[in-house]
Amino acid sequence: MKKRLIAVLMCAAMVTVLGAGCGSKKEDTKETSDTKKEYTEDELKDSMKGVKLKVGTTGLFGPFTYYDEDGKTLIGYDVDLLNDLQELLGFEIDGGLQAMDYSALTTSLAENKLDIGAAALCATDERKEVMDFSDIYCDSGQIVMVNKNDDKGIKSVDDLKDKKIAVEKGTASHTYASKNLTSATLEVHDTITTAYESLEQGKVDAVIQDGPGAYFYIKTTPDSNLEVVGDEFNQGQAPYCVAISKECKYYDEINAAVKVLIDNGTTDELYAKWCE
């Protein structure tokens, strides 16, 4: 899988959330870019000391955010990213990192119950209506997964016409399938875990998922019957960003800190650690 960590000012164009599929890119994440303050790394260091933020994620999307073997400790790319942001900016996490499913996470951000969230969240057009986003720190395409013990002749996304496909609700994969695979039957799951289980049990013909998540599942599930077929598709439509509540007063600092972590190679190191 080819790594795509994008330090693109182009993503300052992605402003927000409500499901997980990604839409067209604009030129700036925050539409008030002309008034957005820029910061140096030195200026950012401990600039939010004493500030308390409510921070959310989900433990449902390895390798970005999931539970360690003890079933209690959250680990992954996004957990490390949040820790790095906290170390740079100096803010406190109010009440500890909150884990919830994607629906609750995006709703909490939209309703300003959380200040920031990181969980491989795509900056979709729908989400941009209700929350803001940082620059893109990681980008991925979708892939097709099949059960290698239940050959349905599927070799790529082009073979999914009239098939039964499992997707996770509100994701880029769900959006893609809804718009582009209209002849297929969609089985929509609240979590990707149950979508995988459905394919393992032969209840569906395929699963569509983001590349990193799919490869992580196969890598960490030795007895799995699933495999990836074909090439990545829908590339550029799953840009992962830090989501920031529209009522959060620290958008500029948080986004600038994300850019620092991109520019200094931290996000490259996180990708190598968790996704390769």
Side-chain angles (χ1 to χ4, degrees):
M1 175 174 47
K2 188 176 179 181
K3 110 173 148 178
R4 294 181 203 83
L5 294 176
I6 306 177
V8 236
L9 292 177
M10 167 177 97
C11 172
M14 325 258 357
V15 189
T16 266
V17 164
L18 253 182
C22 301
S24 60
K25 298 176 182 175
K26 303 177 184 176
E27 292 187 351
D28 207 339
T29 308
K30 195 90 167 168
E31 296 194 31
T32 55
S33 60
D34 53 339
T35 62
K36 183 168 63 176
K37 180 175 172 58
E38 298 293 335
Y39 296 85
T40 66
E41 185 169 354
D42 287 342
E43 288 174 327
L44 287 171
K45 184 62 179 173
D46 291 330
S47 61
M48 292 174 60
K49 196 164 186 177
V51 173
K52 291 185 177 182
L53 297 180
K54 292 186 181 296
V55 183
T57 188
T58 177
L60 304 173
F61 195 85
F64 287 87
T65 169
Y66 65 106
Y67 288 98
D68 203 353
E69 293 179 357
D70 63 7
K72 299 178 181 179
T73 306
L74 284 166
I75 59 174
Y77 183 118
D78 281 323
V79 178
D80 281 358
L81 179 65
L82 289 169
N83 289 336
D84 290 333
L85 288 172
Q86 184 181 16
E87 182 177 351
L88 175 58
L89 294 169
F91 62 84
E92 299 176 39
I93 297 180
D94 188 3
L97 183 59
Q98 301 181 46
M100 56 196 77
D101 63 32
Y102 273 100
S103 178
L105 179 62
T106 54
T107 298
S108 295
L109 287 161
E111 295 179 351
N112 304 301
K113 294 177 180 177
L114 292 173
D115 295 300
I116 63 175
L121 284 166
C122 291
T124 68
D125 287 337
E126 293 85 358
R127 289 173 176 174
K128 292 174 189 178
E129 297 298 322
V130 291
M131 68 190 76
D132 294 323
F133 285 100
S134 73
D135 281 21
I136 301 170
Y137 61 82
C138 184
D139 203 354
S140 77
Q142 271 71 58
I143 54 83
V144 175
M145 304 174 75
V146 299
N147 188 324
K148 57 190 175 185
N149 294 333
D150 186 21
D151 187 4
K152 299 292 179 63
I154 299 171
K155 303 300 180 185
S156 74
V157 66
D158 296 329
D159 299 319
L160 294 181
K161 180 181 179 181
D162 300 324
K163 301 297 185 182
K164 189 172 184 180
I165 305 165
V167 293
E168 182 179 8
K169 183 179 181 179
T171 60
S173 300
H174 186 190
T175 299
Y176 177 88
S178 298
K179 291 181 178 179
N180 298 282
L181 300 172
T182 55
S183 68
T185 300
L186 295 188
E187 185 176 276
V188 181
H189 292 256
D190 289 332
T191 71
I192 191 60
T193 302
T194 57
Y196 290 146
E197 290 173 355
S198 189
L199 184 57
E200 294 275 17
Q201 297 166 7
K203 296 178 180 178
V204 295
D205 302 317
V207 163
I208 298 178
Q209 170 62 312
D210 288 3
Y215 288 109
F216 176 80
Y217 173 79
I218 293 172
K219 178 181 178 180
T220 57
T221 313
D223 58 346
S224 173
N225 295 316
L226 306 192
E227 63 180 356
V228 171
V229 294
D231 298 324
E232 285 191 0
F233 59 94
N234 203 33
Q235 293 168 330
Q237 298 304 304
Y240 299 160
C241 307
V242 176
I244 304 163
S245 161
K246 284 188 175 292
E247 290 189 0
C248 180
K249 300 177 181 179
Y250 301 97
Y251 173 86
D252 288 330
E253 291 89 340
I254 295 166
N255 186 56
V258 171
K259 288 198 274 187
V260 165
L261 297 179
I262 293 169
D263 292 341
N264 69 16
T266 296
T267 53
D268 286 310
E269 293 172 4
L270 292 180
Y271 194 96
K273 174 182 178 180
W274 294 104
C275 302
E276 293 184 341

